[in-house]
Amino acid sequence: MKQAMLIIIMTLISSPLIAQTYTIAQPESEVTISGTSTLHDWESVAEEFTGEATFTMEDGSLTGIQSLVFTVVVDQIKSGKGMMDKKTKGALKEKKNPEITFNLSEVSEMSADSIMANGELTIAGVTKTVQIKAAYMVNDDGSVTFNGTQPINMTDYEVDPPTAMLGSIKTGEDVQVHFAAKFIQ
């Protein structure tokens, strides 16, 4: 009986399947939003964001994602052009909704280098279910990096595309969110 208990305990202790909490490494991560306008294409960078995830790792490979929350601070979305930044904050209703959040619901598909994830995306106080496809890589140091591009239609989130010069310059309602997010233990 003692030998059987010892075998069970050793099996549980040596199990390589481990769920661990990771946080975003902001200096090594980036989020960029790009779009169009009647004048020229534009790009803004999210300069402040946070993220936390619980990953299941087995023998140095990502085998599952139990949770993932990612938050962008609206006030820190910058284009380098003061007027455009002001209009972006206004369109995103920054005073009432200071953050954009993604909260993972489930991973619907996972391969050795990509995932398809479903979750709730909240922009300007409006929450929609989205499906995000991302490539991922487990790095030599055990960190996990996700890369992808997510199309978003601003009007789906009740965001009026910004205008300038009495409406003669209009932004397109479709934007692309490009992300490279590195999560570390």
Side-chain angles (χ1 to χ4, degrees):
M1 181 68 171
K2 285 183 181 179
Q3 192 175 24
M5 284 299 279
L6 184 58
I7 291 172
I8 291 170
I9 290 171
M10 292 303 290
T11 301
L12 291 174
I13 290 173
S14 65
S15 175
L17 190 63
I18 300 171
Q20 299 174 346
T21 301
Y22 288 68
T23 55
I24 196 117
Q26 189 167 352
E28 300 169 64
S29 302
E30 62 182 33
V31 177
T32 306
I33 304 106
S34 62
T36 61
S37 77
T38 52
L39 184 60
H40 56 75
D41 292 349
W42 57 269
E43 183 175 280
S44 292
V45 175
E47 294 184 354
E48 186 178 336
F49 47 86
T50 59
E52 185 172 287
T54 303
F55 299 141
T56 304
M57 304 293 280
E58 184 174 359
D59 297 326
S61 296
L62 181 66
T63 58
I65 304 173
Q66 282 70 48
S67 66
L68 188 144
V69 176
F70 189 83
T71 303
V72 172
V73 177
V74 172
D75 184 56
Q76 295 301 308
I77 298 174
K78 309 278 181 153
S79 67
K81 298 177 177 100
M83 182 55 76
M84 182 174 173
D85 294 347
K86 182 178 175 182
K87 291 194 174 283
T88 297
K89 290 176 200 174
L92 293 172
K93 305 168 187 128
E94 180 262 339
K95 295 231 185 273
K96 190 173 179 183
N97 304 286
E99 298 175 335
I100 296 169
T101 60
F102 173 77
N103 194 343
L104 176 77
S105 301
E106 68 172 342
V107 174
S108 56
E109 294 178 29
M110 186 169 199
S111 72
D113 62 358
S114 68
I115 65 163
M116 185 73 71
N118 300 318
E120 301 295 317
L121 179 62
T122 302
I123 300 173
V126 176
T127 303
K128 300 279 184 181
T129 299
V130 296
Q131 189 172 61
I132 296 176
K133 183 172 183 166
Y136 76 88
M137 180 173 71
V138 178
N139 303 303
D140 291 339
D141 63 1
S143 62
V144 182
T145 304
F146 295 91
N147 290 289
T149 299
Q150 182 66 28
I152 296 174
N153 183 296
M154 289 190 275
T155 60
D156 289 347
Y157 293 87
E158 300 173 17
V159 173
D160 294 326
T163 62
M165 310 244 342
L166 302 173
S168 63
I169 300 173
K170 299 177 183 178
T171 59
E173 62 186 52
D174 293 312
V175 298
Q176 302 286 320
V177 178
H178 312 276
F179 57 91
K182 183 176 183 178
F183 285 83
I184 58 173
Q185 288 185 304

